[in-house]
Amino acid sequence: MDYVKLTDILEKFKKILFKEEEVYKIISEIIIKNTTYTVPAKSLKIKGDIVYLNCSPMLRSEILMKKRQIILDLSLILSDRKINDLK
């Protein structure tokens, strides 16, 4: 009996982790769409409603120039997750 409950709990955590990976992938794809530069999902970090970019200064400035459009696209696609800023 306890084994079944444990597998259910682990399955819930698995879904949550995959959902987070999907959010990073979506953010990366939207940045690529708006800037034509590839930003790997592993170079992104989300804290609260802010996405932090770990990339070169040149790439960061290009992304920040398109920040308004990127945030708008994110709000349309990620309706359950609010992103207000890129840094």
Side-chain angles (χ1 to χ4, degrees):
M1 274 306 228
D2 291 337
Y3 178 75
V4 173
K5 292 180 182 180
L6 180 61
T7 57
D8 291 341
I9 292 170
L10 292 175
E11 188 66 32
K12 288 179 185 179
F13 281 115
K14 181 179 172 184
K15 287 179 184 178
I16 291 170
L17 289 175
F18 283 129
K19 185 177 179 183
E20 283 298 311
E21 288 176 10
E22 191 66 27
V23 169
Y24 284 103
K25 184 179 174 186
I26 289 169
I27 293 170
S28 177
E29 289 173 359
I30 289 176
I31 291 173
I32 291 168
K33 181 186 106 179
N34 284 292
T35 64
T36 66
Y37 291 107
T38 302
V39 178
K42 65 182 178 182
S43 67
L44 303 171
K45 188 172 185 178
I46 301 173
K47 283 190 176 178
D49 60 351
I50 301 173
V51 176
Y52 292 93
L53 306 166
N54 185 15
C55 56
S56 71
M58 184 185 83
L59 180 56
R60 183 189 324 272
S61 64
E62 179 72 26
I63 291 170
L64 293 179
M65 286 177 22
K66 310 275 181 149
K67 178 167 78 168
R68 185 178 299 211
Q69 184 62 41
I70 292 169
I71 292 174
L72 180 64
D73 290 348
L74 287 172
S75 67
L76 293 174
I77 294 174
L78 300 174
S79 59
D80 61 333
R81 180 104 188 220
K82 189 168 183 169
I83 302 295
N84 288 326
D85 201 6
L86 298 171
K87 292 188 178 187

